[in-house]
Amino acid sequence: MKDPSEPSRRQFLRSAIRWVALPVLVGSVGKMTARKGESCVNQTICRTCGIAETCGLPQALSYRDVIKREDGRGR
Amino acid sequence: MRRAGAAFLCLVAPLVAFGQTADQHSQPPPQFTDYRIPIERAAAPRDGSFQYVDLALLACLLVLTAWIVLKRRSRKELRIVSLFALGYFGFYRLGCVCSIGSIQNVAYAIAHSDYRLPLTVAGFFVLPLLAALFFGRVFCGGVCPMGAMQDLLLVKPIRIPASWRAPLEAAPYVYLGAAILFASTGSAFAICEYDPFVGFFRMHGHFLMILFGSAILAVSLFIGRPYCRFLCPYGVLLRWASVFAKYSVSVTPQECVQCHMCADACPFEAIQPPAIAKQDRTEIRRRLTRTLAVTPILIALFAFAGWRMSPMMASWDLRVHRAHVLRDAEMHPPKVKTVLADAWDRHRKTTQDAYVEGSAVEHEFAIGAPILGAWIGLVFALKSLSNLRRRGSNDYEADSSSCLSCARCYSACPVPHREYALPPLPMASIEPPEPVGGAV
């Protein structure tokens, strides 16, 4: 006779998927976080970014270059 | 009265944002001064330890919400948490970084190996999903500021017919697929650009987006959380995760008296009624076979449509647009140099560079758009299969994937709850059954 405290097949599968999903999710996102290099914190939108003045990413360098030229033209 | 007050306060924010935006866009800036249109307000990136403060607060609020929803079973306490989250993550942090938008950063990081995912974004993406894996959609219930804003406004919920609900519920899947495609190609962060609530949090935004947000808030007066249910792409991920939740909302921990009151109280139609009769297995099998036969055809059709639409979708990307404009300017040189050509020259880049960049993006869309199409076909096929799901329960139960953990059903349920030690109601039908062979 089946023990009622025993998990059903559906519960077992849910639990298995949960415990597989947990390390996969944390591991994959952790790996992306641990990459070397800089990361944009403002969705690559430099115009409204608070640290665009000091940022070293290529987009920010390009943005500063354009702003400098525009200021030089008196715009 | 209190509800009317809350609704009034929430309607003030759209009006202020709307007023500021309308003022700015109604008149051109004067040409005879050095006046500049003010730059739109955006959340400044958090530096140093403040990032960790935000993450810690998110984690604490998730745990607190789970405790309130599953253990305390209190709607009142949940509303306090929800209001705090609206104030902090919404109006103080200006709606950024948010979990919904973090999908795009993750998609971009998957597609670009040189992009490092910021810690805050990673935390905002993962923590609500982990909470959903264990406690259901507690993020939606108490932590999401957008959900809180809509929930506050709900005055007189009306039910949506099932025939309308099915196609509406497919919309977030389509939005998720499109957002991932545009973010992974680096074309646009569509979820952020078309966020209907961020303009209210910042008291500023694009006129059309404020209008869109106001329309959603107006609908929220009668339909429970329309954005969360019929648009939110992060809700799709939470829905999947909460299917496997270890603990989830159970309307009554004791015997259900099948009074239907919980289902009436739920504005999200997330309470499933008991299975009335055993479903005809032959009929189910026949419908399943039919749907499975149609699924590959649907996927192929939508994938083909996606492939045909890929040039059009790619043309929304600025790099592709720039390549087209520069090519046109080269073939038919204008008398005056265009602003775009001038800007490109100032970057010290050749037209050939623009072509290379544009065609690389077009190539990415030629692969991604059919995949998006196939995804949409699969979603439609699976949506038609969802009606075939067997229900074995004889009680009213909250559907773990669509339950937004709002705790409304608890207060509607007349059965005394052990956890809260409510006084038993004078109803014979809800008396706990006598233990078999108990003392006389």
Side-chain angles (χ1 to χ4, degrees), chain A residues 10 13-14 17-19 21-22 25-26 29 32-44 47-51 59 62 65-66 69-71 73 75, chain B residues 36 39-40 42-43 45 96 105-106 108-110 112-119 122 125-126 129-130 133-134 189 192 243-246 342 346-348 390:
Chain A
R10 195 174 283 191
L13 278 174
R14 278 182 184 171
I17 291 172
R18 187 166 56 244
W19 287 110
L22 186 75
L25 200 62
V26 174
V29 172
M32 285 185 253
T33 313
R35 280 175 188 164
K36 282 183 181 171
E38 280 192 270
S39 69
C40 175
V41 290
N42 206 21
Q43 297 128 27
T44 65
R47 190 167 65 91
T48 53
C49 185
I51 56 164
Q59 291 98 325
S62 166
D65 188 39
V66 171
R69 283 166 191 274
E70 283 186 352
D71 284 346
R73 285 182 173 197
R75 279 188 68 186
Chain B
R36 285 184 180 195
I39 291 172
E40 288 179 11
C96 193
N105 295 73
V106 173
Y108 189 82
I110 291 170
H112 298 83
S113 55
D114 55 339
Y115 174 71
R116 183 169 67 82
L117 195 65
L119 183 69
F125 178 75
V126 158
L129 287 175
L130 294 183
L133 272 177
F134 285 89
F189 274 38
C192 298
V243 169
F244 308 107
K246 188 170 173 62
D342 187 37
R346 281 192 278 128
H347 273 282
R348 297 185 199 92
R390 275 174 56 203

Side-chain angles (χ1 to χ4, degrees), chain B residues 165-186:
Chain B
R165 223 169 43 230
L168 283 173
E169 281 177 353
Y173 293 86
V174 177
Y175 191 14
L176 174 71
I180 289 176
L181 173 64
F182 279 91
S184 58
T185 52

Side-chain angles (χ1 to χ4, degrees), chain B residues 38-111:
Chain B
I39 291 172
E40 288 179 11
R41 282 180 76 202
R46 298 281 255 184
D47 47 16
S49 55
F50 280 107
Q51 279 189 33
Y52 301 105
V53 170
D54 286 349
L55 278 178
L57 198 62
L58 175 70
C60 288
L61 284 180
L62 285 170
V63 173
L64 184 65
T65 307
W67 182 65
I68 289 171
V69 170
L70 301 174
K71 188 73 182 164
R72 297 279 296 168
R73 303 167 69 87
S74 166
R75 168 89 186 134
K76 195 178 165 186
E77 290 167 14
L78 185 67
R79 284 177 77 169
I80 295 169
V81 175
S82 189
L83 276 174
F84 174 77
L86 174 63
Y88 186 81
F89 291 118
F91 290 100
Y92 173 62
R93 291 290 301 121
L94 303 177
C96 193
V97 174
C98 81
S99 299
I100 304 170
S102 68
I103 297 171
Q104 304 165 117
N105 295 73
V106 173
Y108 189 82
I110 291 170

Side-chain angles (χ1 to χ4, degrees), chain A residues 10-19 21-22, chain B residues 66 69-70 128-139 237-250 398-403 405:
Chain A
R10 195 174 283 191
Q11 281 171 329
F12 170 76
L13 278 174
R14 278 182 184 171
S15 179
I17 291 172
R18 187 166 56 244
W19 287 110
L22 186 75
Chain B
V69 170
L70 301 174
L129 287 175
L130 294 183
L133 272 177
F134 285 89
F135 311 115
R137 296 174 67 170
V138 287
F139 174 76
L237 305 183
L238 290 172
R239 187 180 272 264
W240 289 341
S242 62
V243 169
F244 308 107
K246 188 170 173 62
Y247 308 99
S248 55
V249 168
S250 64
D399 177 21
S400 59
S401 61
S402 33
C403 173
S405 304

